[in-house]
Amino acid sequence: MPLAFCGSENRSAAYRVDQGVLNNGCFVDALNVVPHVFLLFITFPILFIGWGSQSSKVHIHHSTWLHFPGHNLRWILTFMLLFVLVCEIAEGILSDGVTESRHLHLYMPAGMAFMAAVTSVVYYHNIETSNFPKLLIALLVYWTLAFITKTIKFVKFYDHSISFSQLRFCLTGLLVILYGMLLLVEVNVIMVRRYIFFKSPREVKPPEDLQDLGVRFLQPFVNLLSKGTYWWMNAFIKTAHKKPIDLRAIGKLPIAMRALTNYQRLCEAFDTQAQKDSQSTQGARAIWQALCHAFGRRLVLSSTFRILADLLGFAGPLCIFGIVDHLGKENRVFQPKTQFLGVYFVSSQEFLANAYVLAVLLFLALLLQRTFLQASYYVAIETGINLRGAIQTKIYNKIMHLSTSNLSMGEMTAAQICNLVAIDTNQLMWFFFLCPNLWAMPVQIIVGVILLYYILGVSALIGAAVIILLAPVQYFVATKLSQAQRSTLEYSNERLKQTNEMLRGIKLLKLYAWENIFCTRVEMTRRKEMTSLRAFAVYTSISSESTRPAPCTAPLKVVNRKHPAREDCRGFSAPLQRLAPSADGDADSCCVQIIGGFFTWTPDGIPTLSNITIRIPRGQLTMIVGQVGCGKSSLLLATLGEMQKISGAVFWNSPEAVSFLPCCSPERETVADSDVRKRGPVAYASQKPWLLNATVEENITFESPFNKQRYKMVIEACSLQPDIDILPHGDQTQIGERGINLSGGQRQRISVARALYQHTNVVFLDDPFSALDVHLSDHLMQAGILELLQDDKRTVVLVTHKLQYLPHADWIIAMKDGTIQREGTLKDFQRSECQLFEHWKTLMNRQDQELEKETVVERKATEPPQGLPRAMSSRDGLLQDEEEEEEEAAESEEEDNLSSVLHQRAKIPWRACAKYLSSAGILLLSLLVFSQLLKHMVLVAIDYWLAKWTDSALTLSPAARNCSLSQECSLDQTVYAMVFTVLCSLGIVLCLVTSVTVEWTGLKVAKSLHRSLLNRIILAPMRFFETTPLGSILNRFSADCNTIDQHIPSTLECLSRSTLLCVSALAVISYVTPVFLVALLPLAVVCYFIQKYFRVASRDLQQLDDTTQLPLLSHFAETVEGLTTIRAFRYEARFQQKLLEYTDSNNIASLFLTAANRWLEVRMEYIGACVVLIAAVTSISNSLHRELSAGLVGLGLTYALMVSNYLNWMVRNLADMEIQLGAVKRIHGLLKTEAESYKGLLAPSLIPKNWPDQGKIQIQNLSVRYDSSLKPVLKHVNALISPGQKIGICGRTGSGKSSFSLAFFRMVDTFEGRIIIDGIDIAKLPLHTLRSRLSIILQDPVLFSGTIRFNLDPEKKCSDSTLWEALEIAQLKLVVKALPGGLDAIITEGGENFSQGQRQLFCLARAFVRKTSIFIMDEATASIDMATENILQKVVMTAFADRTVVTIAHRVHTILSADLVIVLKRGAILEFDKPEKLLSRKDSVFASFVRADK
């Protein structure tokens, strides 16, 4: 066929110019080419030169990226222009298809315009990134010329009576509008930036974010095309494949996305709401309104994108309907009828009736629909992440103002707060992600029903009616799902709480042989959880589209708590008027004064402290003394403002400024708040040491500037140098969670060292000597408190039970039963409280009336303390050294073999997958595979049968199609309908069977793995718990079990479904058009590389998301535990700043993960669109050549439409499964832990039932160690203990005292020698029997949440009278009787509703209940006052006169009445004799201990 620009037909009107040149259509089209040629010639050299010199700069320094005015509008108009030009090209080709020769002028100008439009946007992008606007003059000229030429063409069309019924006229009009608008955008850039026609151009700097090269998340700053396709992520994804992603790789968050920015936005929303209506600032509704005000706009944008995507989604079915309809017609050849200016014109209806045009439109609609859909997802998740950061900051700010009573009384636990942060804020984030569905779904349903009605008529309304009728069923199922999930969460929380307590008290459980009791307790809760999970699985299977409800308002309910004294507030008005101290001089000399104070822990509770009137003198040492539970610690906390004040006044004479994060919802300030805010920072060391998960140095300096000289002085004063020397990295050793790798004494001394190091005027020390032996206590008192603090003239308040230090006190406050017994100097007490003074003297075993300070002098004569840390610490040190060496070796190997490591990262963990599936069993596994395959075969058969049915209807003649009365036709329809019904019914049954099988498989595996894990962990040796962080073990039971319970089954089901659907779709398309297989190969290669790169990046980002969440949760947990310390130090602002850093780190990882997911999905969707286009074109070509029926074309295209979704989900689920299988891998790693050898050599029948009945102990050449790789902690120990003897064991820290006691229970490795109790070698006994027949009280008190009865007797063996007797012995009978419920009174988590001393007394009572003949006390009275301790010692000596008692003591005077004393040194017995004999010897080490303890 001849080819010419204007055609080559004889007498063609295209060459006639008799009516003027501009009236010649071909000339006008030629004129339209001029602007495009101009732009291409002008811009190509600039682009090539610019790219050569600037591209490297642009990629490295994105600080030059600057959007010109109208940036987004320009991109949108350009996309619209490109679409219209494609339509113009298609229209030209279609119009020219029936002529004798080719008329290039019908589509060549449009093709040139398309090239020019693409060049214009590339050119603009390069000018924008190089910030050189003067070059935009070329675009200004181009848009002007294009507008003029296209306007001429439009006017000439109008002159020749060409109307809107002709598509070319409409397209020309649209192009005039688009070129005009682009010209206006260009003029606007000139007016704003003034780069030409103005003397002084306006200088504009890039955003602050882009000037910071640390910001690598560029989604907000890139152009619209890059935003829509996530093109900027390409370089990041490639880099991830070469090098693992870390926090440095992902950089910092843009300012607009940082937690502080979003928090301030949320606060402004609360403020705006409060100004509108002060009544509605409380409750869930107010929270929702504030959230919508702060983040609603982005949500509306996301919803708009979603609705546009959903509406474009209908283009697919409509185009397929049009294609099938076109191919079903008998006359398929297109014949345009209208002719103007010598060429044919096509109407819109004729244009849209062409199958090839519909295929291209389908392709473009798919591209646009998928882009809008991913944009909607991204905006929604980004908004959710920003909201999560704001909420977390808001919750943290609230925690900083929570009353201590909320935490101590169990109203708000650390676990609940962590749940708020870890779970509920994420639920809220995902709710915002799913929010657009709320209004997108109704739009989909309504538009779908309308279209179906248009195509099918009344039949569509029947389908709609079915949907409406099923709505109540769906609602019922959704309600049941909600209830099942809620109960699952409750049981899961309860199980985790029990597991947490079990792991924290594992040492006690093993020593008391209670592992099985607590294991059964956890198993019972797990069974309830599994029942809920089964119900959830059933309803999930029934529901075709289950929705998981999220407790969205839960995270913020805490923000509006009414009870706490401290409220989340910005600032307050002037302090309320109050009484000032009477005399000015008194005020100057007084640091703190309380007048008539009544304090309580609960707002409506009985006052814990009554009628408190005290003064704490400035620059002096004040000591607070009294019995256990009398309110000493409470007094300190009341002074710090941590208790609810009922009445009275607290005066601080040290006002200093305090800064907090800006917050909102100002509320009325209580007097207590006003008083507390007037005080400056107080260095506070709590009774229960609180440590950060940081280095030793960071714990001591505690955010203060490092002063080397002072640091050394503090280390020396707290005797920490020997401990630091033995740690693997010295003072740079990381302290584990809650100081797990340190002994109790070390934790206590680091806590005190922190208080000593700070440059505060006031220091509060709450019983700092409780976990220290006598030498360490004396040294700390002398070098730390008396020298370091007193020499600096700092105000020191010391709570202590060590009355021997009273002579050092400048001021003494004696407490009794929550009131002040008396305050004054020691001489004041001697004069006015003779009885009390004499009582103190007796307790201290002193004859000297003046209580002279002999301690220091005599201590100097003794051997200097070794200061060795406990064996646990040294063992951990060695273990960490080994781990470090392994890590270093691994790092060096990684450097040598980077390629092999990267290869490992790219591999899928098939082994973990096999382990998971093998746990399900052969029967379930085979049923699972068989049901999945059969289900998808049936689904394909249904679609194929429909296609065949459609073909049979299309092949009928027009006269015979309406054949409802025809017997033959009716019979055919019946057969088709019956087969279709059978197949559909079978499909429904198989879908249900498959879903149930998958869920049941998951539950069976979950049940099996949890039981195995629990049984393995509970029987693991103590060494395992000492060397493995508790958080790590707990994570296996929480996060990993949750993954296996709920995530892996659904991911497995989705993965198998999407894979089989994808395979079946490609098989159907290939069956319909075998030519498609040729095009499939390159697409498959591209798809393979995309998923390969994505999986590596996705796994790294997912792990980074998880690892950045851990410090955030840890920070919340640390803050809750150390709230009083943080507030005492006035470090709220510093900790809030840390939180912002942790939140931003987590959010940037989440954002990159979201962007990576969108990057994958967009590419997979585009590949899917290409599959549709190829399938459509090949199918149409085959059909037009009479080789393919219209029904099969429709079938192929319907499957092609779904390929992109299947590909997407297949890769996403593969990546998710890869990450989730890590949970299985980690649990299987723990299952390899070797259990303790519980079986003994002796049969149970050979062990007497009442063994040991006498309590005779023979220790023969005993040597023990904690591990075969470590040094012995006891060496060749020999001793004979007669029945009923009372043995005292003493020695310095690290001498092996605790190891000695643990050897009786076989908690340590006895590699030499033996222990014989009542004639039986304990090594031959079953472990459970041995441990259940002995009793021990540990130094650290362990209480479990539950009743007092459960804590004393979890085995439920004892009567109430026995329990009351034990409580009476432990001096707790009166305390428990006063509680509501008595023995059934509740103990909160960790026993927080009792003082430290009372907790220790409960532990004593627990041991008394067992009534065994051998009783071991391991520093069990460390936190008890001396008076109570003396009573206890007498009771033990009398009540247990016939029992063997072994007492390990820090306070040596407590074992003076013992029958025998053992002095240990470095794991060997140094002295072993009666205390009287040892005291009589001048060179006795025991005698020196006694002298030092006085």
Side-chain angles (χ1 to χ4, degrees), residues 837-1069:
F837 184 73
E838 289 300 321
H839 179 57
W840 285 350
K841 273 173 58 182
T842 308
L843 289 172
M844 290 186 289
N845 294 319
R846 284 302 185 94
Q847 302 302 320
D848 185 4
Q849 269 190 344
E850 295 178 4
L851 300 171
E852 293 175 1
K853 301 176 183 178
E854 297 173 353
T855 328
V856 182
V857 180
E858 294 187 350
R859 199 193 63 72
K860 286 179 181 174
T862 64
E863 188 181 345
Q866 297 296 321
L868 290 171
R870 294 199 167 199
M872 183 169 106
S873 169
S874 60
R875 294 198 315 276
D876 282 345
L878 288 166
L879 181 87
Q880 286 174 17
D881 272 342
E882 289 165 16
E883 286 176 351
E884 289 297 324
E885 284 168 16
E886 285 172 15
E887 282 173 18
E888 284 168 18
E891 280 171 17
S892 63
E893 280 175 25
E894 187 174 343
E895 287 165 12
D896 296 338
N897 307 301
L898 184 61
S899 58
S900 64
V901 173
L902 291 172
H903 176 66
Q904 284 295 105
R905 287 171 71 231
K907 283 177 69 178
I908 298 169
W910 296 114
R911 191 174 292 176
C913 188
K915 283 177 182 173
Y916 177 85
L917 293 172
S918 63
S919 303
I922 295 293
L923 186 65
L924 264 179
L925 199 57
S926 54
L927 179 63
L928 180 68
V929 174
F930 178 72
S931 63
Q932 284 277 19
L933 290 172
L934 193 60
K935 179 184 85 171
H936 286 89
M937 286 166 67
V938 169
L939 292 177
V940 172
I942 290 169
D943 292 332
Y944 180 77
W945 190 254
L946 268 178
K948 195 175 177 185
W949 194 353
T950 307
D951 275 338
S952 68
L954 287 170
T955 51
L956 288 173
S957 63
R961 281 182 190 172
N962 188 11
C963 55
S964 57
L965 300 175
S966 167
Q967 186 64 32
E968 186 183 349
C969 181
S970 175
L971 183 64
D972 289 340
Q973 294 284 354
T974 308
V975 170
Y976 281 119
M978 282 177 64
V979 173
F980 181 71
T981 306
V982 169
L983 286 172
C984 284
S985 303
L986 188 60
I988 291 167
V989 170
L990 282 170
C991 283
L992 188 63
V993 168
T994 305
S995 186
V996 170
T997 308
V998 169
E999 294 291 347
W1000 241 246
T1001 303
L1003 289 174
K1004 186 177 178 185
V1005 174
K1007 186 179 178 182
S1008 165
L1009 284 176
H1010 182 273
R1011 189 194 295 120
S1012 304
L1013 179 65
L1014 184 65
N1015 290 332
R1016 179 62 63 174
I1017 291 297
I1018 200 77
L1019 299 179
M1022 201 60 214
R1023 167 78 179 154
F1024 167 77
F1025 298 98
E1026 290 165 354
T1027 55
T1028 310
L1030 174 66
S1032 176
I1033 303 170
L1034 203 56
N1035 263 344
R1036 302 297 80 80
F1037 284 99
S1038 57
D1040 288 349
C1041 277
N1042 182 51
T1043 300
I1044 291 166
D1045 287 352
Q1046 298 193 14
H1047 297 149
I1048 291 183
S1050 57
T1051 308
L1052 182 67
E1053 204 268 335
C1054 284
L1055 179 61
S1056 59
R1057 187 177 69 229
S1058 53
T1059 306
L1060 288 169
L1061 283 171
C1062 195
V1063 170
S1064 56
L1066 294 173
V1068 168
I1069 298 167

Side-chain angles (χ1 to χ4, degrees), residues 730-751:
D731 60 3
Q732 296 306 310
T733 302
Q734 195 83 6
I735 293 177
E737 184 188 14
R738 299 169 188 253
I740 192 167
N741 52 343
L742 300 175
S743 71
Q746 287 168 333
R747 291 199 293 269
Q748 186 99 56
R749 280 177 286 143
I750 290 172
S751 179

Side-chain angles (χ1 to χ4, degrees), residues 1032-1323:
S1032 176
I1033 303 170
L1034 203 56
N1035 263 344
R1036 302 297 80 80
F1037 284 99
S1038 57
D1040 288 349
C1041 277
N1042 182 51
T1043 300
I1044 291 166
D1045 287 352
Q1046 298 193 14
H1047 297 149
I1048 291 183
S1050 57
T1051 308
L1052 182 67
E1053 204 268 335
C1054 284
L1055 179 61
S1056 59
R1057 187 177 69 229
S1058 53
T1059 306
L1060 288 169
L1061 283 171
C1062 195
V1063 170
S1064 56
L1066 294 173
V1068 168
I1069 298 167
S1070 303
Y1071 168 74
V1072 172
T1073 51
V1075 185
F1076 172 75
L1077 288 170
V1078 178
L1080 184 63
L1081 188 63
L1083 288 176
V1085 171
V1086 173
C1087 199
Y1088 168 76
F1089 280 106
I1090 287 172
Q1091 67 84 28
K1092 182 183 175 186
Y1093 277 81
F1094 168 77
R1095 279 195 303 105
V1096 174
S1098 173
R1099 186 170 65 245
D1100 282 2
L1101 286 169
Q1102 186 69 59
Q1103 287 171 353
L1104 201 60
D1105 188 34
D1106 294 340
T1107 53
T1108 50
Q1109 195 177 25
L1110 286 175
L1112 178 66
L1113 298 179
S1114 175
H1115 187 65
F1116 267 92
E1118 280 179 354
T1119 302
V1120 171
E1121 286 173 16
L1123 199 52
T1124 50
T1125 307
I1126 295 166
R1127 290 203 288 233
F1129 276 84
R1130 286 295 189 219
Y1131 272 13
E1132 292 97 328
R1134 298 187 191 192
F1135 274 76
Q1136 283 163 335
Q1137 184 57 41
K1138 263 190 180 179
L1139 170 92
L1140 293 174
E1141 290 168 11
Y1142 289 138
T1143 306
D1144 285 346
S1145 296
N1146 185 224
N1147 284 356
I1148 186 71
S1150 300
L1151 281 166
F1152 262 102
L1153 182 61
T1154 300
N1157 287 337
R1158 304 285 79 77
W1159 177 90
L1160 166 81
E1161 292 188 4
V1162 161
R1163 275 145 191 77
M1164 287 299 176
E1165 301 283 17
Y1166 289 174
I1167 288 172
C1170 292
V1171 169
V1172 171
L1173 181 65
I1174 295 163
V1177 171
T1178 52
S1179 301
I1180 292 165
S1181 300
N1182 280 353
S1183 182
L1184 288 173
H1185 290 92
R1186 307 283 178 180
E1187 293 176 6
L1188 198 62
S1189 68
L1192 285 177
V1193 171
L1195 177 68
L1197 290 181
T1198 305
Y1199 269 88
L1201 266 181
M1202 297 184 286
V1203 165
S1204 60
N1205 280 337
Y1206 302 153
L1207 277 173
N1208 230 325
W1209 281 109
M1210 190 172 75
V1211 178
R1212 281 286 301 280
N1213 286 315
L1214 194 62
D1216 288 347
M1217 179 60 82
E1218 197 174 351
I1219 293 159
Q1220 288 165 10
L1221 284 173
V1224 179
K1225 208 172 175 181
R1226 288 188 291 271
I1227 285 178
H1228 271 281
L1230 273 190
L1231 289 177
K1232 293 175 185 174
T1233 307
E1234 286 188 21
E1236 283 185 288
S1237 177
Y1238 273 75
K1239 292 181 181 178
L1241 298 174
L1242 288 176
S1245 57
L1246 298 175
I1247 305 166
K1249 284 187 179 180
N1250 59 345
W1251 179 93
D1253 54 346
Q1254 297 174 357
K1256 182 182 179 182
I1257 303 170
Q1258 295 170 269
I1259 302 170
Q1260 299 174 353
N1261 198 33
L1262 183 71
S1263 296
V1264 301
R1265 60 193 173 193
Y1266 282 92
D1267 193 70
S1268 56
S1269 60
L1270 299 173
K1271 293 178 182 177
V1273 285
L1274 286 180
K1275 305 165 201 168
H1276 309 295
V1277 173
N1278 288 281
L1280 175 63
I1281 301 169
S1282 302
Q1285 277 192 326
K1286 309 295 177 282
I1287 308 297
I1289 301 175
C1290 60
R1292 295 197 175 92
T1293 303
S1295 60
K1297 304 186 296 295
S1298 292
S1299 306
F1300 187 86
S1301 66
L1302 294 176
F1304 287 103
F1305 295 84
R1306 284 170 46 196
M1307 296 282 278
V1308 285
D1309 176 24
T1310 305
F1311 67 96
E1312 194 178 340
R1314 58 181 184 165
I1315 299 175
I1316 299 170
I1317 298 177
D1318 284 358
I1320 296 178
D1321 184 351
I1322 64 168

Side-chain angles (χ1 to χ4, degrees), residues 80-261:
M80 292 171 70
L81 177 66
L82 291 170
F83 174 72
V84 174
L85 289 170
V86 167
C87 290
E88 192 177 24
I89 293 167
E91 192 272 346
I93 293 170
L94 203 59
S95 302
D96 196 35
V98 291
T99 54
E100 293 175 13
S101 65
R102 296 281 74 90
H103 290 249
L104 293 181
H105 71 96
L106 292 176
Y107 44 85
M108 184 180 165
M112 295 291 286
F114 187 88
M115 288 173 63
V118 172
T119 306
S120 74
V121 82
V122 172
Y123 179 70
Y124 168 75
H125 171 68
N126 278 272
I127 291 168
E128 198 175 49
T129 52
S130 57
N131 195 14
F132 198 68
K134 288 187 178 180
L135 288 175
L136 284 176
I137 191 73
L139 287 182
L140 179 69
V141 174
Y142 171 65
W143 299 130
T144 307
L145 291 173
F147 176 69
I148 292 168
T149 54
K150 199 56 73 175
T151 305
I152 291 169
K153 184 176 179 179
F154 183 73
V155 170
K156 289 305 163 188
F157 278 178
Y158 184 76
D159 289 345
H160 285 79
S161 302
I162 300 170
S163 65
F164 284 103
S165 60
Q166 309 308 318
L167 180 63
R168 201 176 307 164
F169 180 80
C170 300
L171 292 175
T172 307
L174 282 172
L175 287 170
V176 170
I177 294 167
L178 288 169
Y179 281 130
M181 291 182 75
L182 283 162
L183 179 60
L184 288 174
V185 168
E186 212 62 71
V187 171
N188 182 52
V189 176
I190 295 171
M191 298 299 290
V192 175
R193 292 296 300 271
R194 303 183 175 192
Y195 63 89
I196 52 170
F197 311 131
F198 291 93
K199 290 183 180 178
S200 54
R202 182 174 292 169
E203 288 296 325
V204 180
K205 287 187 176 181
E208 190 181 335
D209 292 308
L210 292 181
Q211 295 176 43
D212 183 356
L213 290 178
V215 175
R216 297 196 177 92
F217 188 78
L218 305 177
Q219 180 72 6
F221 312 110
V222 292
N223 62 56
L224 210 59
L225 180 64
S226 190
K227 270 183 184 170
T229 59
Y230 306 89
W231 193 262
W232 64 273
M233 282 286 289
N234 287 355
F236 180 81
I237 300 276
K238 281 181 196 168
T239 309
H241 202 262
K242 295 173 186 173
K243 190 173 69 174
I245 301 170
D246 55 13
L247 275 174
R248 281 177 298 179
I250 60 177
K252 292 187 282 191
L253 264 178
I255 292 167
M257 295 178 175
R258 288 177 190 168
L260 181 59
T261 310

Side-chain angles (χ1 to χ4, degrees), residues 1383-1419:
L1383 287 172
D1384 294 315
I1386 297 295
I1387 293 177
T1388 59
E1389 190 179 4
E1392 289 293 329
N1393 53 340
F1394 291 97
S1395 72
Q1396 185 83 354
Q1398 286 172 327
R1399 282 178 236 162
Q1400 211 152 28
L1401 292 174
F1402 272 115
C1403 293
L1404 282 162
R1406 180 195 286 148
F1408 297 152
V1409 166
R1410 286 168 76 92
K1411 293 186 176 177
T1412 56
S1413 60
I1414 296 176
F1415 189 66
I1416 299 166
M1417 297 172 69
D1418 185 0
E1419 299 168 4

